[in-house]
Amino acid sequence: MELIDMTQWMTMISNFGFPLTLSLFVLLRLDKKIDQLLKEWNEMKPNQRKENGK
């Protein structure tokens, strides 16, 4: 899901309130970061995971 433009964010804020809109924005941003983190985690070999997780 792509981030939407500013006018749509302003409409969401007026309809749902700032806290809910901010939460949605943060979740959308974190989704990409979590996907990237999981991809890198899966690429690591099991013995590297043990060394890094001491």
Side-chain angles (χ1 to χ4, degrees):
M1 178 181 237
E2 292 184 25
L3 296 177
I4 49 183
D5 66 10
M6 186 60 75
T7 56
Q8 290 176 322
W9 281 113
M10 296 304 286
T11 302
M12 287 179 64
I13 289 172
S14 65
N15 289 338
F16 302 113
F18 181 74
L20 183 63
T21 305
L22 181 63
S23 299
L24 178 63
F25 176 75
V26 169
L27 285 173
L28 290 173
R29 294 286 306 227
L30 284 178
D31 184 47
K32 292 179 184 178
K33 300 289 184 186
I34 291 172
D35 287 341
Q36 182 181 5
L37 181 63
L38 286 173
K39 179 182 174 188
E40 291 177 12
W41 175 261
N42 288 329
E43 289 175 355
M44 289 179 72
K45 295 179 182 176
N47 58 353
Q48 288 176 325
R49 291 181 197 158
K50 288 180 183 175
E51 291 174 5
N52 292 335
K54 290 180 182 179

